Amino acid sequence: MEVSLSPLPAAEIAADLLVLPVREGHDPGLGLGGVLGQVRFTGRAGQDLLLPRRDGDAFRAAAVLLVGLGDADDEHAVRRAVGRVAPRLAEFPTVAIAFPHVQAVIEGVRLGGYRFDGYKSEPRGRALRELVILAGEDPRGVERAGIVADAVTFARDLVNTPAGDLVPMDLAERARAMAEACGLGVRVLDAGALREGGFGGILGVGAASVNPPCLIEVSHPGDGVSGTVGLAGKGITFDSGGLAIKGLGAMSTMKCDMAGGATMLAVVQAAARLGLPVGVTAVVPAAENMVSGSATRPGDVLTHRNGRTTEVTDTDSEGRLVLADALAYLAEGSPDVLIDAATLTYSVMHALGEDITGVIGSDRGLVGELIAAGSRAGEPMWELPLWEPYAARLESEVADAKNEGGSLADATIAALFLRPFTAGLPWAHLDFATTAYLDKATDLGPAGATGAMIRTLIGYLESRS
């Protein structure tokens, strides 16, 4: 799809479809106000009305789509409104949009119009070839929005891919191809290198699978003087629960358990394409948590990259085991901050639902900066406590810690487990067990992978620059 800007008034643009915003109770112009009362279109959020051109109409487009904005026309309202109607835009070869906020318009079209239908025998066609935004010059905004939408699409495609087609080394090859295309540094540690490097958490989780685990590292060097950010993303390409096997209902969507890894790969891709001066290194510990005679057993003890030991009391609390190794590895490079993202706990689902990502960290300044970036991106976050007294729940008789501390406050317990692997660096942990993958469509995309937190993290990196 080609994207361009045009200074032409909406009435003068020739297109297959003209999309106009309508504030609640306002006249959309172009002589269409009289039509609205006849069809009870008020402009409230969620309404839209398609009108074919008639003789005498004061516009040149073949049809007009009126889209209700409600009482707000900020960039978040625009992104959602455009995203909601984006699937309809795909039916028209040339679409002109007269909305404000160029970047929000492009993101709305791209994210709301996303499809993952390559596995269908007859994928639906896409007629849309040209998108014209009726706005002033903003070429940098057009470029940035395209890069951000590409990053979200990249991550969504990875997360939506069936687990049988994206085992750990497949994920590594997808990451390698992306890195080489963007001029990024890339390194993949296979199972042998993981054994030599002491990555006992990753090896323990992946022990039961015929598909060996690996660690993926992708780096954007930045300008060398603007600091560095270390990103770790959980990369469990399929989670059966291990010997603590999940039920069918819980297991059926577990291809999404590598959403944290996909997120961080997408963010470093965008950092490179945007030419951000801050250095960024993304590390993804990739493994399948399966069941076999070689599986890690409850009561086994694993030794992590930094020498810390963990008694495995729940094989379905595997994400923190692989993240521990990834964080310890990243910390060796002494980045200015560490950020990890994971579909980690059910407790964050119950606490925050499907719209809000949980954030917990050792540095309140960093947590605040991430929450602010989420607010700017329209991705709400909420800080959960790193409550020190709960650390006692992780005490083990045989190792430095257990990997679970009961079902209550598990999001906080998981963060407390991870903290010793951060080497005292400023650190924030994003638990997006619900927001990363939804079972229903939203204004910004179909059911499935959402690409949550990518726009937030890109915005955060830009703010550091």
Side-chain angles (χ1 to χ4, degrees):
M1 178 184 69
E2 180 183 344
V3 178
S4 62
L5 303 177
S6 173
L8 287 175
E12 297 180 17
I13 194 77
D16 297 298
L17 180 68
L18 171 64
V19 185
L20 296 177
V22 184
R23 293 282 299 276
E24 189 163 11
H26 288 64
D27 191 320
L30 300 185
L32 296 171
V35 177
L36 304 190
Q38 301 173 25
V39 294
R40 297 183 179 179
F41 181 92
T42 64
R44 65 173 172 80
Q47 282 188 316
D48 57 82
L49 178 64
L50 181 64
L51 298 171
R53 187 181 183 279
R54 302 167 301 175
D55 291 341
D57 278 341
F59 54 87
R60 297 178 61 195
V64 170
L65 180 64
L66 304 180
V67 180
L69 281 177
D71 60 1
D73 63 356
D74 60 82
E75 60 181 312
H76 305 317
V78 166
R79 186 185 296 108
R80 290 192 299 269
V82 173
R84 185 175 55 78
V85 298
R88 299 186 69 176
L89 308 189
E91 303 168 9
F92 299 86
T94 303
V95 174
I97 298 186
F99 276 68
H101 308 298
V102 169
Q103 294 188 52
V105 169
I106 295 171
E107 290 176 7
V109 171
R110 290 283 307 278
L111 304 187
Y114 170 84
R115 297 174 185 168
F116 186 78
D117 56 7
Y119 283 84
K120 292 183 177 291
S121 57
E122 296 182 4
R124 288 183 295 169
R126 293 167 173 81
L128 182 57
R129 297 192 307 269
E130 183 179 1
L131 176 68
V132 181
I133 303 173
L134 307 183
E137 289 298 317
D138 187 12
R140 179 59 177 166
V142 171
E143 180 186 23
R144 181 191 182 278
I147 289 171
V148 170
D150 285 346
V152 174
T153 298
F154 173 76
R156 285 180 175 182
D157 285 349
L158 287 176
V159 177
N160 283 327
T161 299
D165 290 339
L166 197 76
V167 301
M169 287 305 295
D170 291 330
L171 179 59
E173 289 309 310
R174 296 277 286 272
R176 188 190 302 277
M178 177 276 289
E180 291 175 351
C182 296
L184 294 164
V186 59
R187 184 185 186 202
V188 177
L189 303 183
D190 62 15
L194 293 176
R195 281 189 289 273
E196 292 178 8
F199 293 88
I202 304 173
L203 289 166
V205 172
S209 177
V210 296
N211 299 303
C214 63
L215 182 135
I216 306 159
E217 180 181 4
V218 180
S219 300
H220 164 62
D223 62 11
V225 297
S226 298
T228 56
V229 173
L231 304 176
K234 176 183 172 183
I236 301 299
T237 58
F238 187 76
D239 181 18
S240 72
L243 292 179
I245 195 165
K246 296 177 183 290
L248 177 60
M251 199 188 304
S252 61
T253 59
M254 282 299 103
K255 66 181 183 181
C256 79
D257 218 16
M258 39 65 69
T263 295
M264 297 318 197
L265 292 174
V267 170
V268 74
Q269 176 199 63
R273 293 185 62 196
L274 290 168
L276 298 185
V278 64
V280 184
T281 297
V283 169
V284 180
E288 287 185 323
N289 188 25
M290 302 295 276
V291 179
S292 75
S294 59
T296 293
R297 300 157 179 81
D300 285 353
V301 175
L302 306 177
T303 302
H304 295 280
R305 169 73 178 186
N306 66 350
R308 188 172 171 85
T309 58
T310 298
E311 178 189 3
V312 179
T313 52
D314 181 5
T315 64
D316 197 21
S317 293
E318 84 298 329
R320 62 199 72 178
L321 297 174
V322 300
L323 276 177
D325 280 344
L327 286 168
Y329 178 69
L330 274 170
E332 293 169 11
S334 299
D336 296 316
V337 300
L338 286 171
I339 303 169
D340 74 75
T343 47
L344 207 63
T345 68
Y346 290 109
S347 66
V348 80
M349 298 181 183
H350 299 305
L352 301 179
E354 59 196 15
D355 293 338
I356 305 169
T357 292
V359 56
I360 309 175
S362 62
D363 187 284
R364 300 297 298 281
L366 172 59
V367 169
E369 290 169 4
L370 288 169
I371 291 173
S375 180
R376 293 192 300 270
E379 296 186 312
M381 304 169 71
W382 194 266
E383 183 180 8
L384 298 173
L386 195 66
W387 187 244
E388 194 64 40
Y390 288 169
R393 299 184 186 181
L394 293 169
E395 292 176 359
S396 167
E397 296 294 328
V398 298
D400 294 325
K402 299 184 296 185
N403 74 321
E404 57 85 35
S407 60
L408 300 179
D410 191 34
T412 290
I413 297 294
L416 287 166
F417 174 86
L418 292 172
R419 184 179 56 179
F421 300 93
T422 64
L425 295 167
W427 159 70
H429 162 66
L430 309 182
D431 191 338
F432 63 168
T434 302
T435 56
Y437 194 91
L438 299 175
D439 61 4
K440 63 181 181 180
T442 70
D443 290 342
L444 293 180
T450 64
M453 291 294 102
I454 292 170
R455 292 185 294 110
T456 291
L457 289 170
I458 292 170
Y460 166 74
L461 294 177
E462 289 174 321
S463 72
R464 291 186 61 90
S465 303

